[in-house]
Amino acid sequence: MVTIDARGVYYMHLNKRIRQALKDGALEIILKNVNGQRYIADAIRGNFSFSIEGVPGNDLAAYMDGPHIVVKGNAQDAVANTMNGGTIIIHGDAGDTLGYAMRGGEVFVRGNVGYRVGIHMKEYQEQVPLIVIGGKTGDFLGEYMAGGIIVVLGLPDDMEPVGNYCGTGMHGGVMFIRGNVPDYKLGREVQKTTPTAKEQHYLTGIVSRYENYFGLEEKTVGGMSFTKLAPVGIRPYGNMYVKF
Amino acid sequence: MGFTKRPTFRVERDSCRCIDCGVCVRQCANEVHYLDIDTKEVLCDSTNCSNCRRCVELCPTGALAVWGAPQETSGNAAWAVHDIRAIQAQANSGGILLTGMGSDRPMPGYFDRMMLNASQVTNPSIDPLREPMELRTFLGRKPTVLQLDDKGKPVDLPPQLELDVPIMFSAMSFGSISLNAIKSLAAAAESENTYYNTGEGGLHRDLYPFGKNTITQVASGRFGVNIDYLNAGAAIEIKIGQGAKPGIGGHLPGEKVGQGVSETRMIPLGSDAISPAPHHDIYSIEDLTQLIFSLKEATEYTKPISVKIAAVHNVAAIASGIARAGADIIAIDGYRGGTGATPLRIRDHVGIPIELALAAVDSRLRDEGIRQEVSIVVGGSMRHSADVIKAIALGADAVYIATAALISLGCHVCQKCYTGKCNWGIATQNPQLVKRLNPEIGARRAANLLRAWKHELKEMLGGMGINAVESLRGNRLMLRGVGMMDSELRILGIKAAGE
């Protein structure tokens, strides 16, 4: 285990030190006093684990493939950008475009997230990415989503879990939003149904993982009714063109 | 009320020459030719002829010819035939008109109105057959100050691409063109020591061996982008825009996403591959910086990062922002740039000529004192070596070619790339058609083209009394304009012929 104090360290130097520590054989890295440094664990591949104390900067875990990251604080924009594998547990809120084009791995956020979360999320063969958000999301959740799973728990109960234009351009994957989503918030390419029994069972598992990760009492997430959002078709713009 | 589809071209069969051998029947994916089972005669129906000329070229007896079909309406000076046909097609379908390749409209070209200089009497020209002529080009950020270590080697030099000839193959994705076409270009780039570009379609596993001659592309859809992909090439290009479709994204239709394309793009079989117009994480120069440095971090600062944009009205200011954002190379694609599929109206009406864009960008970066911080690569209908040399004289470090490269592989510019029925095995994923293009022969032909242009570049350089391409870069005194307005000459930074 290696501990790195990030206080006042420029991101390029911090990330160089992290890479060096991994090359030197560290499997577990604790980063203390992180304060906005970008690109932590960018394109890191392997079975490593990171514990981040403070607020990591943009592009945390971009292109990452494998590591397990726990953020003891909030995260900023573009967490898990084009991530291929691994797990990220965020004990706070996260910013915009979390999970942009994410192809694999899992992100659990205890609190709220910003705009355009899960945009362009994809899946490929056994790689099915998962984003679980404890709180609410901004507009454009799952825009152009092409694969993967997004779960929004909408805690605490008294707020609307998603913003406007949810699922615009969606052509793959699935979203489960706790409670109801009014039609006016949905993109045209999305259809609203209720989860099957199998999906409901899956969601129960997701909820208990969420509760475990964040040390919540079981059944914090009461009233387990979810709305399922799925694409109308895999070719949303197939009929838009005429060959000339 | 509908309009029946009428032929745009007419296939003529010289019955004196035709021996009913059926080569044309087997070669035409558009099913223009057919065998009449009763009479055993080979006949044709021109309705779906794209004028790709495959049948004409392969007919063993020279019995075939393809002509423009006499139209059912003749059009007039105000309403051309293609305008009328477009309205009919849209009235039938309600769809956006889709087309392929670069714009074919007779818009003014500036390369053709710029003439090169040559030495006479006072400063001798150089004979490249007898004297060394340097075309080697380095692309990447150049340091403001050169620091040397005790052995005289530069310290902390930013990563550079090294090219033996200032011509690279422009971005064409696996999906828009066939794997054999990409293999041809990759092998040609390797043999001539230059680069080809993957486009946004990921990198097929067969192409990893060509890594040192590969530029991988990252676009808004992030298809096939993972750690291996980012590290596979010599440089990474962020695609913001494309000359054939500035301001809009790309849709690879699901029917082209077969097994190979699915694996390479890492998306399910048969699903649309949608690259939206903007990168949804880029709304400012600062956001672009973020993406550039995420890629630099991912590759540990070992590869130059290029940013490709379409030539648009404020291109100079945009390029300045890109240079300041940390890009090592700016690729600019002019309004004649090609594509596998694009909405017709966007292709023909959006963007500006590459010559003007290039001159404006080069001037702007010089004025701001940051020209050395970034290399400029331009594309968008570089038809021959003279276009290349004029682009360099206007300020380009190197050029991208794509249409010219495809023509070297057999493309006949029928502009029907988007149908996926390319009879030359280039813009198709149909295995029967793809195997018509032998990648070894293709590589040889594309390499021949580069070598031929290289010789011509040397001849023209020598004629100007210049022995290194470095000395021509941005040397606009070597250009004179013919038949241009003052404003055009001013933007191009060149004098009128005779001045």
Side-chain angles (χ1 to χ4, degrees):
Chain A
M1 189 196 298
V2 173
T3 303
I4 299 173
D5 186 354
R7 187 189 299 277
V9 182
Y10 189 50
Y11 77 82
M12 282 186 199
H13 303 141
L14 177 65
N15 292 327
K16 221 171 168 177
R17 278 171 68 181
I18 293 171
R19 280 178 186 274
Q20 191 56 51
L22 297 176
K23 271 176 202 154
D24 293 344
L27 291 174
E28 208 180 325
I29 293 183
I30 298 174
L31 299 171
K32 288 187 181 295
N33 300 310
V34 174
N35 190 9
Q37 283 96 343
R38 291 180 170 187
Y39 312 122
I40 292 172
D42 182 344
I44 301 287
R45 172 183 278 163
N47 196 16
F48 306 114
S49 72
F50 294 85
S51 174
I52 298 174
E53 296 172 17
V55 180
N58 294 354
D59 268 326
L60 171 72
Y63 319 110
M64 185 179 86
D65 196 2
H68 180 89
I69 295 182
V70 177
V71 179
K72 294 174 182 164
N74 298 325
Q76 296 189 329
D77 295 343
V79 175
N81 179 2
T82 323
M83 181 168 125
N84 208 51
T87 311
I88 305 174
I89 316 289
I90 298 167
H91 285 258
D93 297 336
D96 298 340
T97 64
L98 178 139
Y100 184 138
M102 182 179 169
R103 190 186 301 111
E106 300 177 335
V107 182
F108 281 76
V109 183
R110 176 171 184 158
N112 305 323
V113 294
Y115 290 84
R116 296 211 143 93
V117 166
I119 180 168
H120 260 301
M121 224 161 114
K122 305 184 181 340
E123 65 186 54
Y124 179 61
Q125 294 177 348
E126 74 282 4
Q127 285 182 283
V128 181
L130 166 69
I131 297 175
V132 179
I133 294 141
K136 62 173 180 176
T137 79
D139 296 346
F140 303 105
L141 177 73
E143 192 183 18
Y144 287 115
M145 188 169 169
I149 302 165
I150 295 177
V151 180
V152 182
L153 302 180
L155 297 169
D157 289 338
D158 57 349
M159 48 183 202
E160 298 217 353
V162 299
N164 293 324
Y165 310 107
C166 182
T168 302
M170 186 174 179
H171 54 290
V174 62
M175 292 193 260
F176 298 102
I177 317 291
R178 191 161 151 265
N180 185 30
V181 183
D183 288 342
Y184 79 89
K185 289 196 164 187
L186 298 176
R188 275 186 300 184
E189 296 79 11
V190 183
Q191 56 185 342
K192 204 161 72 166
T193 53
T194 45
T196 61
K198 198 176 156 199
E199 287 164 341
Q200 195 65 42
H201 179 71
Y202 170 80
L203 287 165
T204 310
I206 293 291
V207 166
S208 74
R209 282 182 67 194
Y210 173 84
E211 288 165 338
N212 282 338
Y213 280 135
F214 301 115
L216 304 173
E217 301 227 343
E218 289 218 9
K219 304 279 181 284
T220 308
V221 189
M224 296 278 291
S225 97
F226 283 89
T227 303
K228 176 182 172 182
L229 302 179
V232 174
I234 60 165
R235 307 236 6 228
Y237 307 114
N239 294 322
M240 201 165 73
Y241 299 104
V242 51
K243 291 175 177 176
F244 184 54
Chain B
M1 174 185 106
F3 297 90
T4 49
K5 189 173 178 197
R6 292 176 195 279
T8 313
F9 301 98
R10 187 164 72 183
V11 181
E12 280 187 4
R13 180 182 306 277
D14 182 341
S15 55
C16 300
R17 286 173 180 268
C18 179
I19 53 171
D20 297 319
C21 67
V23 165
C24 49
V25 180
R26 291 188 293 278
Q27 291 296 326
C28 184
N30 297 317
E31 298 174 359
V32 168
H33 304 276
Y34 61 94
L35 186 68
D36 187 308
I37 40 170
D38 296 331
T39 64
K40 307 292 180 215
E41 257 183 314
V42 173
L43 303 171
C44 53
D45 170 1
S46 302
T47 309
N48 290 320
C49 177
S50 68
N51 192 25
C52 79
R53 311 195 80 77
R54 179 85 184 176
C55 59
V56 176
E57 303 262 0
L58 267 71
C59 176
T61 60
L64 292 168
V66 178
W67 307 89
Q71 302 297 338
E72 70 278 17
T73 164
S74 57
N76 61 40
W79 289 89
V81 170
H82 59 85
D83 294 324
I84 297 167
R85 280 191 173 271
I87 290 171
Q88 291 170 343
Q90 292 192 301
N92 279 347
S93 67
I96 293 172
L97 298 169
L98 195 67
T99 187
M101 307 207 76
S103 180
D104 53 9
R105 293 208 322 152
M107 296 288 281
Y110 290 88
F111 281 132
D112 291 339
R113 288 183 281 155
M114 285 188 283
M115 301 305 289
L116 291 161
N117 193 26
S119 301
Q120 300 292 302
V121 184
T122 50
N123 58 334
S125 49
I126 298 168
D127 179 359
L129 299 177
R130 290 188 296 109
E131 296 184 53
M133 187 66 68
E134 190 63 85
L135 290 185
R136 185 157 307 172
T137 299
F138 292 89
L139 301 181
R141 178 171 294 256
K142 308 296 185 289
T144 322
V145 182
L146 195 59
Q147 286 181 320
L148 304 177
D149 62 15
D150 8 329
K151 288 174 192 150
K153 290 262 166 74
V155 181
D156 285 341
L157 199 65
Q160 307 284 324
L161 295 182
E162 186 179 338
L163 292 68
D164 279 359
V165 54
I167 304 168
M168 302 186 288
F169 297 125
S170 190
M172 287 176 279
S173 70
F174 177 38
S176 75
I177 61 172
S178 67
L179 188 58
N180 282 357
I182 303 177
K183 281 180 179 168
S184 303
L185 299 180
E190 186 180 48
S191 77
E192 299 312 305
N193 202 16
T194 181
Y195 298 85
Y196 81 99
N197 188 312
T198 62
E200 56 179 304
L203 188 64
H204 191 276
R205 59 183 177 276
D206 291 357
L207 296 165
Y208 274 82
F210 298 101
K212 69 176 175 41
N213 297 94
T214 303
I215 299 174
T216 55
Q217 207 178 50
V218 171
S220 62
R222 303 276 208 276
F223 295 111
V225 177
N226 62 14
I227 296 174
D228 293 333
Y229 176 77
L230 295 177
N231 283 298
I236 301 172
E237 184 165 272
I238 297 169
K239 181 195 170 185
I240 301 288
Q242 181 179 348
K245 42 179 121 169
I248 67 162
H251 296 173
L252 186 73
E255 61 255 29
K256 288 194 185 177
V257 183
Q259 192 61 39
V261 173
S262 155
E263 283 169 16
T264 304
R265 295 199 178 215
M266 304 176 82
I267 54 170
L269 272 174
S271 74
D272 273 8
I274 299 178
S275 275
H279 288 246
H280 285 101
D281 53 349
I282 300 180
Y283 286 85
S284 65
I285 293 296
E286 290 75 15
D287 288 348
L288 178 62
T289 303
Q290 182 178 319
L291 182 59
I292 290 171
F293 280 85
S294 84
L295 296 169
K296 289 191 174 190
E297 281 278 334
T299 53
E300 298 187 60
Y301 300 88
T302 57
K303 298 180 199 301
I305 307 293
S306 168
V307 174
K308 178 177 177 178
I309 55 168
V312 292
H313 300 3
N314 292 320
V315 68
I318 295 162
S320 167
I322 292 170
R324 291 168 196 281
D328 303 288
I329 299 165
I330 302 176
I332 311 168
D333 198 12
Y335 76 163
R336 278 192 191 280
T339 180
T342 178
L344 177 76
R345 298 302 175 214
I346 304 265
R347 182 193 74 176
D348 287 353
H349 299 277
V350 184
I352 64 171
I354 190 60
E355 302 91 327
L356 298 172
L358 165 61
V361 168
D362 181 68
S363 302
R364 177 71 170 258
L365 298 182
R366 281 172 196 279
D367 290 347
E368 295 184 0
I370 56 171
R371 178 65 183 84
Q372 82 287 349
E373 290 190 8
V374 69
S375 293
I376 301 175
V377 178
V378 295
S381 239
M382 299 288 154
R383 300 156 300 173
H384 43 63
S385 59
D387 285 352
V388 176
I389 209 154
K390 289 171 187 175
I392 291 170
L394 283 175
D397 289 274
V399 305
Y400 265 143
I401 62 168
T403 301
L406 297 188
I407 293 172
S408 81
L409 303 184
C411 167
H412 280 56
V413 198
C414 76
Q415 305 181 304
K416 293 282 187 282
C417 324
Y418 54 88
T419 62
K421 291 182 179 174
C422 176
N423 280 318
W424 294 92
I426 299 168
T428 178
Q429 301 303 325
N430 176 341
Q432 296 303 317
L433 300 176
V434 170
K435 71 179 183 193
R436 293 179 183 178
L437 176 58
N438 178 324
E440 281 170 28
I441 297 172
R444 208 152 55 228
R445 294 181 58 84
N448 280 345
L449 179 74
L450 287 180
R451 275 203 304 282
W453 287 20
K454 196 167 156 182
H455 286 310
E456 290 177 337
L457 291 175
K458 287 181 175 180
E459 292 280 349
M460 286 186 275
L461 274 177
M464 288 184 261
I466 291 172
N467 64 4
V469 71
E470 283 289 314
S471 310
L472 180 70
R473 187 156 297 124
N475 186 349
R476 302 190 197 174
L477 289 170
M478 291 297 136
L479 297 170
R480 288 291 188 276
V482 178
M484 288 197 212
M485 293 190 295
D486 282 352
S487 57
E488 293 166 322
L489 292 168
R490 176 172 52 75
I491 294 161
L492 290 167
I494 62 172
K495 292 178 176 172
E499 275 190 296

